[in-house]
Amino acid sequence: MFKLIDLPYKSLAPVISDETLSFHHGKHLQTYVDNLNKLIAGTEFETMSLEEIVKKSSGAIFNNAGQILNHELYFTQFAPAPSCPAPTGHLLDAIVKQWGSVDAFKADFEAKGVTLFGSGWVWLQSNEAGELSIAQYPGADNPVAHGLKPLLTFDVWEHAYYLDYQNRRAAHLKELWGIVEWTVMEKRYNK
Ligand code: MN
């Protein structure tokens, strides 16, 4: 049985309003958890980790497991007042190597979030050599399903921002940088 994760903070306002956070975590993510538990009951997936299910499943099971994994990574990468508001260490080196600067990386990441058609996720991911790339994945898809390591993600499903930003996805993505806790990505990258 999977359980809804607890959030490591009380509020991310004003970047994400308390109302959006409450619906996104308490309703949308809770529904994916409830759906997955019903779908895997009595199947080979019942004893697997989320990552294993994402790698081995398809259809409704993949969609619900992927959405749980994506939201767990998403919600745990933020802090209302980040202790580390910019990339550091090995991850900073890899970003500069790939994009030339953190600002150029952010501009590329935002552009790929804005141009992702419909619902999905924009990801910073790494391969086994530690090389970084940005990917647009539709629906519940994610780097784990493609054998890559997930580092940072912005949710561009409308439920992530519509109450606060309506159709202004670009404005929402720009604001999200203010709550990214980069120590989390550095840990994911070095793991
Ligand atoms: Mn979402």
Side-chain angles (χ1 to χ4, degrees):
M1 287 280 282
F2 291 97
K3 280 176 61 181
L4 181 68
I5 56 157
D6 292 325
L7 296 175
Y9 39 75
K10 291 251 186 294
S11 175
L12 295 171
V15 174
I16 296 172
S17 70
D18 293 346
E19 188 183 22
T20 290
L21 190 64
S22 170
F23 273 98
H24 201 179
H25 173 258
K27 303 288 185 194
H28 289 278
L29 180 51
Q30 180 71 62
T31 299
Y32 297 127
V33 172
D34 293 343
N35 286 346
L36 184 66
N37 284 329
K38 278 183 213 146
L39 287 163
I40 63 174
T43 75
E44 59 178 318
F45 299 107
E46 200 168 21
T47 55
M48 291 184 193
S49 68
L50 269 181
E51 286 82 358
E52 283 180 287
I53 296 174
V54 163
K55 285 176 186 164
K56 292 174 181 169
S57 67
S58 60
I61 291 180
F62 174 82
N63 286 337
N64 284 282
Q67 284 294 73
I68 298 169
L69 183 60
N70 295 349
H71 284 95
E72 288 188 356
L73 291 162
Y74 173 80
F75 283 124
T76 57
Q77 72 191 3
F78 294 132
S83 65
C84 187
T88 56
H90 292 120
L91 182 56
L92 173 62
D93 296 342
I95 287 173
V96 171
K97 186 179 170 198
Q98 194 68 34
W99 286 277
S101 71
V102 173
D103 283 347
F105 155 72
K106 286 183 176 177
D108 192 11
F109 197 84
E110 287 175 38
K112 289 203 166 70
V114 169
T115 56
L116 198 168
F117 186 76
S119 299
W121 302 77
V122 57
W123 289 87
L124 174 64
Q125 59 189 10
S126 69
N127 64 14
E128 280 187 9
E131 294 161 336
L132 302 178
S133 57
I134 298 172
Q136 300 169 314
Y137 290 114
D141 200 7
N142 60 47
V144 174
H146 301 269
L148 296 163
K149 189 187 285 187
L151 301 177
L152 169 73
T153 189
F154 286 178
D155 185 346
V156 299
W157 284 60
E158 283 188 343
H159 68 225
Y161 60 88
Y162 209 83
L163 292 175
D164 303 337
Y165 297 82
Q166 296 78 46
N167 63 323
R168 293 175 292 116
R169 186 193 285 186
H172 168 66
L173 298 183
K174 197 172 279 297
E175 291 299 317
L176 284 179
W177 295 118
I179 52 170
V180 172
E181 175 57 70
W182 281 95
T183 51
V184 174
M185 269 58 73
E186 179 78 5
K187 274 187 206 133
R188 290 175 184 169
Y189 184 60
N190 293 324
K191 198 166 67 179

